[in-house]
Amino acid sequence: MNRAFSRKKDKTWMHTPEALSKHYIPYNAKFLGSTEVEQPKGTEVVRDAVRKLKFARHIKKSEGQKTPKVELQISIYGVKILDPKTKEVQHNCQLHRISFCADDKTDKRIFTFICKDSESNKHLCYVFDSEKCAEEITLTIGQAFDLAYRKFLESGGKDVETRKQIAGLQKRIQELETENAELKNKVQDLENQLRITQVHAPPAGSVTPKSPSTDIFDMVPFSPISPQSSTPTRNGTQPPPVPSRSTEIKRDLFGAEPFDPFSCGAGDFPPDIQSKLDEMQRQRWRGSKWD
C-alpha cells in the first residue's frame, strides 16, 4: 500500500483477524473534511490536501464553528464515518476504493486516506485529527487491507465480486427508497388537491338555476308551452293565473245550466223561441221606420 504499511508488514498486527472480519474496530476522531485531489496516491498529494483543509478549518474556527467529532468503524469491508451520537452514517468508504492511507509525520495528530467516490468517480482525500490514535488508526486500516487481500486470494476473487454486487444492490435500494418517498409526497399532494376540488364542487345531480332571458322591454317573453309560469318579471309583478275550464257542466238550484255569455250563441236557443225573437226584432225595425 504505502510506506506506513510496509514498515510494519513483518511485525504482528495489533488486532485479531476476527475483530476486523466479523466485527469492526471503532475510533473517535475530529473530522476536518474532505477535498478532491488529482492523484489517487502520493505523500505530496495528501500533504497539500491537509494544508488546504487545515486552513479552511482555521477560518471556520475563527467564526465560532467547532471541528465536528466522528466515529470511525474500520473492518475488512471499509471505513464508515458516523455521527457519534445518532450513529448516522455520513460516509461509507469501501475498502477496495481506498487507494492510499498515511499519517502525517510532521503532525502526529493528523491521518488521511484517499478514496474514489462511487458516484462522481473523483478521488477525495479525507483528513482526520486524533490526538493519540492517528498512527494506530492508520495501521488498523493497513491490517484491514492485509486481511481483505488474503481473503481475496483464498476465494479466488469471488468474495470481492460478491461485495461489489452487494454494494451495488444497497445503492440501488437506497435510490428506490428515495424515489418511493418522492412518489408518496406526490400522491399526498394529489389527494389534497382532490379534497379541495370536492369541497368547492356542487353536489351531484344538482341543476344550477338559469335566469330567464328577457326581451327589449325587460319582460319575460311569452312561452306557449308554459303559459302559467310562476317566474316573476324583473319589476316584481306576477302575471294573474288563468282559470282552468272544467269539463264538468255545473247547474243551478232549478237544474238549469247557468248562463255563459262566452259560450252561448244564436244556435243555442230552441226553434220557437228563436222565431219569436226574430219577429220582435222585425216589429221593432218597422216601428222605428215609421217614426
Side-chain angles (χ1 to χ4, degrees):
M1 290 292 298
N2 59 47
R3 61 185 182 85
F5 299 155
S6 61
R7 70 169 182 248
K8 292 287 185 178
K9 66 181 180 179
D10 296 330
K11 296 184 179 181
T12 305
W13 294 110
M14 61 185 65
H15 303 291
T16 62
E18 290 78 11
L20 289 168
S21 300
K22 298 181 180 179
H23 304 284
Y24 58 85
I25 305 299
Y27 289 100
N28 291 323
K30 292 181 179 180
F31 186 33
L32 273 68
S34 62
T35 182
E36 183 182 355
V37 292
E38 296 180 358
Q39 301 295 328
K41 60 182 179 179
T43 304
E44 291 298 328
V45 174
V46 296
R47 188 174 296 171
D48 293 340
V50 170
R51 283 197 295 262
K52 180 179 179 180
L53 291 175
K54 275 187 175 181
F55 180 76
R57 180 53 54 187
H58 179 73
I59 297 298
K60 292 181 179 180
K61 190 175 181 180
S62 64
E63 296 175 352
Q65 299 183 18
K66 295 182 178 180
T67 305
K69 296 180 179 180
V70 295
E71 177 183 334
L72 300 177
Q73 294 181 356
I74 303 173
S75 68
I76 63 172
Y77 301 105
V79 179
K80 288 184 178 181
I81 305 173
L82 300 87
D83 185 288
K85 295 182 179 180
T86 63
K87 302 299 180 181
E88 180 183 357
V89 179
Q90 298 177 354
H91 303 277
N92 185 12
C93 303
Q94 299 173 0
L95 202 66
H96 68 275
R97 291 184 174 274
I98 297 177
S99 57
F100 190 82
C101 180
D103 54 284
D104 192 348
K105 298 310 168 187
T106 60
D107 191 346
K108 298 293 183 180
R109 302 176 306 172
I110 302 298
F111 69 95
T112 67
F113 64 82
I114 299 177
C115 180
K116 187 176 183 181
D117 186 68
S118 59
E119 295 182 358
S120 63
N121 287 327
K122 296 179 180 180
H123 295 284
L124 302 178
C125 182
Y126 294 81
V127 181
F128 302 88
D129 183 346
S130 179
E131 186 176 354
K132 298 179 180 180
C133 303
E135 185 177 4
E136 181 180 341
I137 294 173
T138 304
L139 295 175
T140 302
I141 295 176
Q143 184 180 0
F145 267 104
D146 183 69
L147 292 173
Y149 182 67
R150 291 181 183 181
K151 194 172 183 180
F152 169 76
L153 295 177
E154 293 174 357
S155 63
K158 295 180 180 179
D159 186 66
V160 174
E161 293 299 327
T162 302
R163 288 203 302 269
K164 288 183 179 179
Q165 292 177 3
I166 293 175
L169 291 174
Q170 289 176 347
K171 182 181 178 181
R172 181 56 180 164
I173 289 173
Q174 186 176 1
E175 292 175 353
L176 291 175
E177 288 178 350
T178 303
E179 184 178 354
N180 188 28
E182 294 176 354
L183 290 175
K184 284 183 179 179
N185 293 332
K186 290 182 180 180
V187 170
Q188 186 65 36
D189 293 340
L190 291 175
E191 290 179 351
N192 294 337
Q193 294 178 4
L194 183 59
R195 293 193 188 99
I196 295 174
T197 305
Q198 291 177 347
V199 168
H200 294 286
S206 62
V207 179
T208 305
K210 297 182 179 179
S211 57
S213 58
T214 57
D215 56 13
I216 59 176
F217 300 103
D218 198 23
M219 301 292 290
V220 178
F222 171 75
S223 175
I225 301 177
S226 56
Q228 301 180 12
S229 174
S230 59
T231 304
T233 59
R234 291 293 180 89
N235 54 14
T237 59
Q238 181 75 23
V242 179
S244 59
R245 288 180 172 272
S246 175
T247 55
E248 181 183 359
I249 300 176
K250 298 181 180 180
R251 298 180 181 277
D252 56 11
L253 296 176
F254 303 100
E257 296 181 6
F259 174 73
D260 188 355
F262 296 101
S263 59
C264 67
D268 293 335
F269 296 103
D272 54 345
I273 296 177
Q274 185 64 41
S275 60
K276 290 182 179 181
L277 288 175
D278 295 339
E279 182 64 25
M280 292 174 63
Q281 185 70 17
R282 286 193 295 270
Q283 291 178 1
R284 183 178 179 184
W285 179 78
R286 292 191 187 103
S288 61
K289 183 180 181 180
W290 292 107
D291 294 337

